[in-house]
Amino acid sequence: MPSDKIRKKISEETMAILAPSLLSPLFVVLLASTNCRGFEIKEATVDGIQQAFKEGSLTSRRLVEYYLDQIQTLNPLLHAVIEVNPDAVPQADRADEERLSGRHPGGGLHGIPILLKDNIATRDQLNTTAGSLALLGSVVPRDAGVVRRLRQAGAVILGKASLGEWGNFRSHRIPSGWSARGGQGRNPYALSKYPCGSSTGSAIAVAANMVAVTLGTETDGSIICAAAHDSVVGIKPTMGLTSRAGVIPISPTMDTIGPLCRTVSDGVHVLEAIVGYDSRDADATLAASSYIPQGGYRQFLRLEGLKGKRLGILRKGFFEFPKGSIYQEVFEEHFNAMRKAGAILIDNLEINNASIIRDAKKSGEKAVMLAEFKLYLNVYLSELSNSPVRSLADVIAFNNEHSAEERIADFGQSILLEAQNTNGIGPVERNAIAKMTRLSLEGLERLMMEKQLDAIVTPGASASSVLAIGGYPGISVPAGYGTNGVPFGICFGGLKGSEPKLIEIAYAFEQATTVRKPPSFKPGTSAFQPLKEW
Ligand SMILES: *[C@@H]1O[C@H](CO)[C@@H](O)[C@H](O)[C@H]1NC(C)=O
Ligand SMILES: *[C@@H]1O[C@H](CO)[C@@H](O)[C@H](O)[C@H]1NC(C)=O
């Protein structure tokens, strides 16, 4: 339904309810009792939480206890969280003490609970396993680079979020959102539908108010698709803007770490805390550090952020919906909203070689992923302080030995086996990397330059490979809800380092359309049904 109409309807209804009661004593009583209950944590934003900390109507401890309670209640249904941190309450107490004593000014992520996708290493009581039983009990040598920054910012590590096991890189037959340790993650908006991923647990948990903010990772689509299908905001940063050190890899050519949050502003708070140079991911983070704007990213949360922006709509192969479908209707409405907000839409654009780019075999992406996965997973495993497995070969053997728990008969491990057959970066892989670079230069870069675009606009995760093979950033914002109840998103993508522009566009779009609503857990059938790809 067009969002303007929804908003109008809601405000009319609200007025109808409020108008008579404005003068009545009942209204005053209701208002007073709302104040007594204090701060409403459900759907709270980072800014709202910080304000409540400041006013003394909320503590980090109360926030952590609320979320732990939510996890206990909802996780048996949603399977979003693998582990909660036994240190979360003490960390919250420390943050409260620092703020109240004046030793820390507060603000940013200080005292804010965050869930980390289970492929992001923490050197604490939490395990880091990519959802696999093979890594249970492994001990990491140190926190991941992004975790070190989160702790410096004073964030509370609430626990580990589930994911598609091994970041969806074990087998094509593994259902989206399944891991041996986490079970089957469910879409909180339509329980019989998949959450899309692989950053599924992060998206589900933050959508269902089981945490304030989360981190996910993306190689090709894992943040953008999870954000779109679970009605949250996902920021996939430029490759190298955020350190990959201490994150279980797939492909360092493409891997990136980024937030999944309920609002663009929350995502920007998280992004700002985790970007920057890391000597353990030196080349990529040094190259990308020149993109970090002086004064950080929050200055780009501008209501008029769409004004004058040139947005390229990729229709062919991307915005292709049956005529009269809800998707077509809603996106046309959004395009109008963007025009009204001052954006210049350049329609019906095509990207050179789009069909090659979107076919991982033809673009070279698959060859690069397979070879890099083996190479860099083996490095990750060899650096662990302690581990039951030390190589990809060990992981494959573990899965065969624990085939019942890892459901090898049902799902297999074909991608792991394919990766094991590779032999480092040889001529084939070098050619593949060169091809990806050429496709990006002749594709997105040329289009952006020729049409002088600030961003491209695509539905769902349909542009994920365009963004993946060039290391480009993208932001997914909730765009609507299908007739089947499954949310869908709109993705703004751009050239390397264009986060400031993308944030302006995404924030202004979000504020103009206000699509996101929290899920309400209507029971669905238990059989899972496949999702549309985009
Ligand atoms: C980590 O895994 C071990 C099993 O190896 C388990 O005993 C422990 O409880 C796990 N940690 C958390 C925080 O769940
Ligand atoms: C991509 O498209 C351009 C222009 O259409 C063409 O010249 C080029 O050969 C194509 N590149 C690849 C790798 O196929």
Side-chain angles (χ1 to χ4, degrees), residues 122-352:
T122 52
R123 172 92 184 174
D124 53 16
Q125 295 192 62
L126 293 162
N127 297 286
T128 304
T129 68
S132 166
L133 292 164
L135 276 174
L136 193 52
S138 68
V139 179
V140 300
R142 62 188 78 81
D143 281 339
V146 289
V147 173
R148 196 168 42 84
R149 287 187 182 272
L150 287 173
R151 291 198 205 274
Q152 279 165 3
V156 174
I157 309 296
L158 191 66
K160 293 287 171 79
S162 191
L163 71 170
E165 197 180 280
W166 293 109
N168 280 358
F169 212 63
R170 189 184 106 182
S171 158
H172 299 291
R173 273 157 51 205
I174 293 196
S176 144
W178 182 88
S179 71
R181 292 199 64 217
Q184 178 60 60
R186 283 175 181 267
N187 191 313
Y189 292 86
L191 296 173
S192 63
K193 299 292 195 294
Y194 291 106
C196 203
S198 65
S199 300
T200 47
S202 309
I204 298 166
V206 80
N209 281 281
M210 296 157 87
V211 70
V213 295
T214 75
L215 271 194
T217 67
E218 171 149 337
T219 308
D220 183 338
S222 287
I223 290 175
I224 299 294
C225 197
H229 279 99
D230 301 292
S231 206
V232 293
V233 172
I235 302 181
K236 181 225 172 199
T238 301
M239 191 278 289
L241 192 65
T242 52
S243 166
R244 290 85 50 80
V247 178
I248 298 173
I250 292 179
S251 163
T253 297
M254 290 172 268
D255 290 350
T256 182
I257 320 303
L260 290 119
C261 294
R262 287 183 292 269
T263 66
V264 175
S265 170
D266 284 359
V268 169
H269 268 291
V270 175
L271 182 71
E272 193 155 291
I274 62 172
V275 296
Y277 176 73
D278 182 352
S279 61
R280 294 186 189 280
D281 186 13
D283 291 352
T285 56
L286 182 64
S289 59
S290 64
Y291 299 134
I292 302 171
Q294 196 114 56
Y297 288 98
R298 271 181 274 169
Q299 60 186 303
F300 302 106
L301 297 168
R302 296 174 54 237
L303 277 175
E304 67 282 18
L306 276 164
K307 206 168 180 179
K309 292 292 191 305
R310 292 175 59 86
L311 306 179
I313 315 262
L314 300 181
R315 290 267 179 185
K316 199 176 151 207
F318 294 88
F319 281 105
E320 281 183 349
F321 311 118
K323 244 190 152 48
S325 72
I326 185 124
Y327 309 113
Q328 195 195 27
E329 199 182 312
V330 170
F331 280 117
E332 289 309 319
E333 183 80 14
H334 290 329
F335 294 157
N336 285 334
M338 291 191 253
R339 284 191 197 97
K340 237 172 87 184
I344 301 141
L345 270 53
I346 298 103
D347 208 341
N348 289 313
L349 296 184
E350 282 185 42
I351 210 157
N352 278 333

Side-chain angles (χ1 to χ4, degrees), residues 5 10 14 23 33 47 70 115 127 151 179 223 244 260-261 269 284 298 356 358 382 403 414 420 520 532:
K5 278 186 206 153
I10 289 172
T14 315
L23 300 169
S33 72
D47 287 333
Q70 284 281 96
L115 275 173
N127 297 286
R151 291 198 205 274
S179 71
I223 290 175
R244 290 85 50 80
L260 290 119
C261 294
H269 268 291
R298 271 181 274 169
I356 300 174
R358 295 176 73 188
S382 72
S403 58
S414 58
Q420 181 58 23
S520 56
K532 280 182 110 71

